[in-house]
Amino acid sequence: MTDETRYVYDPTRAVDPLGDLEEEGEKAAKRNRAKVGSARPSSLLYTYGPGSIMDLPQFTVMPTGLDDWDRIWRRRDSPPLTIHAPRLREVVRMMLRSPDVQLRPHPWQPKKHSRSAEGNDLGVPARVFPQWLRCTGCDMLGMLSQFDYKNTHPFRTDLATFEHTKCTGRAGSRARGTMRRPAVPARYLLACADGHLDEFPYELWVHRGQPCSRAEMPALKMEDRTAGKGASAVIICASCDMRRPMNEAQGEAGKAKLPQCRGRHPHLDAFEPKGCRNTTKLMLVGASNLWFPATQSIIVMPESQQEKEEDLADRIRTSLGEKLAKYRANLDMIRDLLEDRVDVTQLSDHELAQAVEAAVAPPATVEEQEEKIRDWDPVDLLVPEWRYLLDDFPGSRDEDSKSGLTLAKRQRGQRLQPEITRVLAVERLRKVNALVGFTRIDDMDRVGDLPRRLAPLTRTPRPAWTVATEDRGEGIFLQLEEDKVAAWEKHILDTDLWQAHREAHRRNFERRFSETAGQVNPDSRLKPPRYWLVHTFAHILIRELALTCGYSAASLSERLYAWPAADGREPAAGLLICTTASDSDGTLGGLVQLSDPARLERVVASALRKARRCSSDPVCAMRIPQDPEDFLHGAACHCCVMASETSCERANRFLDRRFLLDLPASNLGYFTTNE
């Protein structure tokens, strides 16, 4: 372990697929190509980021940590591209505890046509994981080195595969001699709550923790005749005839039979120097709880004068580095050094001097940084957006070329619900999303009280950058009447229904936060009634808008502005329904068209009318969590309110139709209707 890393790591085993390819070319060996697949930027951020397991047609790979991505960037003389989003960048720096973090896109370049060579030197490095494979012909279970890799077709990455070259088939088969058979990943892994992941120790498992009595390197097999039924395989040692089923590793009884976590981060090819004290959990390669991204995102808004000054000072500081302190008093030299990096030609000497002084200001101390992290609320990212969306701009349309945000005022239709006070057509928007880490077994918003559970993206303690994406699209913004929301919320807080939701949340919290429930008040994590209201309203609108806007419901997403008044923060009650795309110049305008007064009236009226009834009623309408139940929704199900995971920011939690409308045996609805 070096001073530059906090993990036990062997640099001689670094992942460098393009470098390996060049070495193979110099040897005049049969060429196995480096590229094994492709994915959209959004999937590489939310589904298959560093540390996740990506399914390819023939095997699985794991995108590596960002340290290995640097080798890709360094293959070009030009500096890496960056994404400009100062407000998000500052939050990412705070969360990663690194003052110089930049936001970079994935290393990719578009091609002029499918067979051209542009961007061949770019790509996301990945390693094969898990590295235990099973032959589909003879059930041989072995490490990667026991199989032959084949990837020779330049335009068919789906043909890349590992093969058992001398497969004899299963006992009793009619096959004669040997033949090549494809190998597939052995699907069992070990994970722990702190984000570590490891291969399953098949050899120790079948021999019950002891070495094989007949062979130093025993021949293993995995017999699996009931695929898709959990841990149904049987591990067999062909050398000593011992066998052990994998179902012994399942359930509460199986926990005691699994080894302690070794503290391995396979995406970093590193181990925790002090190991890990956790017990492990049996996982399958395709398990949905194997990788949860921890991301932050913003809708980019026009910068205030203060934000512009802070961003300029930051760019000067990061561009000049140590030279800044040396030449801070020589403005001419500063201008020369910044000539090709930061445009300061329009600044007077006085303005430049102020920017330089701001750039050389001492950074926050470690104690101040930790205090800032403790006090930070994710809502702080939403407040500037809410304030800007409420500003009354002159004219009917407001366009900002730098941020890409274009807003248009919409008149309220005479028949639009009176509880909706403001409507904006967001004709163009830019959303920036950044990855700050990931968790395993449980989502980040459930483990936020344990910082160690956030698995790192780099071996270095202070990363210089993190991966981000830019999405462009359109949307509709609606604001609810604050006075009525406040009065409604005050009433809801005193109801038996809200007390039932509070108790269900407490039970859910304590079961999920077993190690920290005693130190954190569950009510501090419970969303207020206005959030349930706005959230449920957003979901029924997504369902209704999808019927006529031309986009599927899974393509629409919500951005919720719902919080009570707090120090330095005015109350909010509103929502933005938007659709964005990361690999195009925007969207087609079908959603914005529905902000037309007459059309929006019909959409809202129809959404509320349909929300009044559910095909699962009366069960759905009367659902209230009772002890020992801990679900975080009330009158809401997949038949009436719940949305796809791409649309919902809270995984379908905090939803209840009774907060929207008066349902049978309930008069708690915020909206008044004619029915």
Side-chain angles (χ1 to χ4, degrees):
M1 183 173 64
T2 66
D3 294 336
E4 297 179 354
T5 178
R6 50 183 170 177
Y7 299 105
V8 177
Y9 166 67
D10 182 2
T12 63
R13 301 178 58 217
V15 175
D16 186 13
L18 295 177
D20 295 341
L21 184 65
E22 292 172 353
E23 289 183 9
E24 290 298 315
E26 293 175 359
K27 297 176 183 177
K30 189 174 181 180
R31 187 168 182 176
N32 271 315
R33 301 179 185 275
K35 184 177 179 181
V36 294
S38 61
R40 293 163 63 98
S42 57
S43 68
L44 287 172
L45 190 76
Y46 293 110
T47 310
Y48 299 124
S52 67
I53 295 180
M54 175 185 288
D55 281 310
L56 298 178
Q58 308 294 337
F59 55 94
T60 56
V61 297
M62 174 180 286
T64 64
L66 302 184
D67 307 278
D68 296 319
W69 295 34
D70 282 328
R71 295 187 185 86
I72 300 294
W73 288 116
R74 286 197 295 265
R75 299 183 73 85
R76 295 198 164 188
D77 295 332
S78 57
L81 300 175
T82 59
I83 295 176
H84 185 73
R87 186 158 55 91
L88 178 61
R89 183 188 62 205
E90 292 308 310
V91 170
V92 170
R93 288 176 174 178
M94 175 194 69
M95 298 185 72
L96 294 179
R97 295 172 172 83
S98 180
D100 298 326
V101 172
Q102 299 295 325
L103 306 180
R104 295 185 189 173
H106 291 87
W108 173 82
Q109 178 181 346
K111 293 180 178 294
K112 294 180 180 178
H113 54 82
S114 61
R115 294 176 179 260
S116 60
E118 296 92 357
N120 283 352
D121 59 334
L122 297 178
V124 175
R127 61 165 43 89
V128 178
F129 191 86
Q131 298 197 345
W132 279 89
L133 305 180
R134 178 180 66 87
C135 174
T136 57
C138 65
D139 293 329
M140 185 189 84
L141 181 64
M143 290 294 292
L144 202 64
S145 58
Q146 296 174 251
F147 298 89
D148 183 47
Y149 178 59
K150 182 180 179 182
N151 182 20
T152 58
H153 198 296
F155 307 112
R156 291 291 304 276
T157 57
D158 59 300
L159 299 179
T161 185
F162 286 91
E163 295 178 330
H164 185 198
T165 57
K166 296 182 180 181
C167 175
T168 57
R170 296 185 179 94
S173 67
R174 297 182 179 180
R176 295 181 180 179
T178 61
M179 60 187 304
R180 300 176 70 94
R181 291 291 182 89
V184 296
R187 66 175 183 265
Y188 302 107
L189 300 168
L190 295 177
C192 89
D194 288 349
H196 302 127
L197 188 68
D198 211 342
E199 305 267 8
F200 190 86
Y202 297 102
E203 185 176 334
L204 291 175
W205 174 257
V206 70
H207 295 108
R208 301 182 182 274
Q210 302 298 321
C212 179
S213 60
R214 296 187 181 179
E216 184 178 349
M217 299 185 66
L220 302 182
K221 288 190 175 185
M222 176 187 285
E223 287 190 356
D224 189 4
R225 302 292 183 265
T226 54
K229 294 187 178 180
S232 58
V234 177
I235 309 302
I236 302 170
C237 177
S239 300
C240 67
D241 295 329
M242 289 190 70
R243 55 193 299 132
R244 193 177 188 184
M246 288 298 302
N247 57 19
E248 286 189 22
Q250 284 186 304
E252 291 298 322
K255 287 183 179 180
K257 301 176 183 179
L258 296 176
Q260 185 173 334
C261 180
R262 299 193 301 167
R264 184 186 182 192
H265 287 303
H267 66 296
L268 304 178
D269 197 20
F271 290 83
E272 295 282 354
K274 298 181 180 179
C276 179
R277 63 181 179 83
N278 292 327
T279 57
T280 52
K281 179 178 181 180
L282 184 69
M283 302 282 284
L284 297 179
V285 168
S288 60
N289 62 342
L290 190 64
W291 190 83
F292 293 100
T295 61
Q296 297 294 335
S297 64
I298 63 166
I299 304 294
V300 180
M301 299 287 167
E303 298 174 13
S304 66
Q305 184 60 35
Q306 180 181 354
E307 290 173 334
K308 292 178 181 178
E309 293 173 357
E310 292 174 352
D311 179 52
L312 175 61
D314 182 79
R315 286 187 290 142
I316 291 175
R317 180 181 62 83
T318 55
S319 297
L320 298 185
E322 297 178 355
K323 295 180 181 179
L324 178 61
K326 182 178 181 180
Y327 298 112
R328 59 185 295 184
N330 190 338
L331 295 183
D332 290 335
M333 178 62 73
I334 292 290
R335 290 183 185 275
D336 291 340
L337 293 173
L338 293 175
E339 184 175 1
D340 297 326
R341 304 178 185 181
V342 181
D343 184 11
V344 294
T345 56
Q346 303 300 319
L347 298 181
S348 65
D349 286 348
H350 176 68
E351 292 171 332
L352 179 58
Q354 287 183 321
V356 169
E357 289 304 311
V360 297
T365 64
V366 175
E367 292 76 15
E368 291 172 338
Q369 292 176 356
E370 294 302 320
E371 182 181 1
K372 186 177 181 181
I373 292 175
R374 286 194 302 269
D375 297 340
W376 184 73
D377 187 338
V379 169
D380 294 343
L381 269 179
L382 299 174
V383 172
E385 299 173 18
W386 172 253
R387 289 172 176 168
Y388 191 84
L389 291 170
L390 294 189
D391 281 348
D392 188 20
F393 50 85
S396 60
R397 197 165 179 270
D398 179 53
E399 182 175 0
D400 183 74
S401 57
K402 187 174 181 180
S403 66
L405 185 68
T406 302
L407 305 177
K409 294 178 181 177
R410 290 290 187 266
Q411 297 297 322
R412 292 186 67 262
Q414 295 181 353
R415 293 181 294 177
L416 184 66
Q417 294 296 131
E419 294 85 357
I420 300 174
T421 59
R422 181 176 175 86
V423 179
L424 290 177
V426 185
E427 296 179 356
R428 293 175 58 216
L429 62 84
R430 184 167 68 98
K431 184 181 179 184
V432 179
N433 320 279
L435 183 68
V436 296
F438 63 88
T439 60
R440 303 198 192 277
I441 299 177
D442 218 342
D443 199 355
M444 180 58 193
D445 67 340
R446 305 294 188 92
V447 299
D449 299 304
L450 292 175
R452 70 173 183 275
R453 289 192 180 180
L454 185 63
L457 300 176
T458 62
R459 291 181 290 270
T460 55
R462 292 178 177 267
W465 65 280
T466 190
V467 65
T469 61
E470 286 185 287
D471 301 339
R472 289 177 171 79
E474 57 178 297
I476 300 175
F477 171 75
L478 302 178
Q479 180 190 3
L480 303 185
E481 183 183 351
E482 173 56 36
D483 291 342
K484 184 170 183 179
V485 169
W488 171 87
E489 187 172 43
K490 183 178 180 181
H491 170 62
I492 293 296
L493 289 172
D494 295 329
T495 62
D496 292 338
L497 175 61
W498 184 250
Q499 294 307 312
H501 282 316
R502 279 188 61 196
E503 288 303 309
H505 179 266
R506 179 186 58 79
R507 292 189 290 270
N508 183 287
F509 185 89
E510 290 176 351
R511 292 166 187 171
R512 292 279 190 163
F513 291 81
S514 58
E515 297 186 39
T516 57
Q519 301 143 14
V520 179
N521 181 5
D523 286 344
S524 66
R525 298 302 176 90
L526 176 62
K527 293 296 182 182
R530 67 172 63 209
Y531 187 96
W532 292 62
L533 165 66
V534 174
H535 193 194
T536 309
F537 187 41
H539 276 225
I540 67 170
L541 284 180
I542 286 175
R543 284 172 165 252
E544 190 64 27
L545 289 167
L547 298 177
T548 51
C549 72
Y551 306 111
S552 67
S555 299
L556 302 180
S557 61
E558 62 189 5
R559 195 158 181 87
L560 308 180
Y561 307 94
W563 55 82
D567 291 341
R569 189 169 70 202
E570 63 275 13
L575 57 105
L576 172 66
I577 305 297
C578 61
T579 180
T580 57
S582 60
D583 51 1
S584 67
D585 290 333
T587 45
L588 303 177
L591 184 58
V592 165
Q593 289 181 1
L594 295 183
S595 64
D596 175 78
R599 293 180 178 179
L600 187 61
E601 285 177 359
R602 293 194 294 269
V603 167
V604 173
S606 178
L608 291 173
R609 183 178 66 253
K610 293 177 181 178
R612 186 176 293 277
R613 295 176 178 86
C614 171
S615 58
S616 295
D617 283 345
V619 175
C620 178
M622 305 295 290
R623 184 186 291 113
I624 299 176
Q626 302 290 340
D627 191 18
E629 297 169 332
D630 63 356
F631 51 83
L632 301 182
H633 62 273
C637 69
H638 285 285
C639 298
C640 57
V641 172
M642 292 184 178
S644 66
E645 62 181 78
T646 57
S647 300
C648 181
E649 66 178 34
R650 287 291 169 182
N652 284 316
R653 302 191 297 272
F654 311 129
L655 297 166
D656 197 327
R657 285 185 292 140
R658 283 168 293 208
F659 293 156
L660 277 181
L661 303 157
D662 291 341
L663 299 184
S666 170
N667 60 348
L668 303 177
Y670 168 78
F671 287 100
T672 57
T673 61
N674 297 325
E675 298 184 15

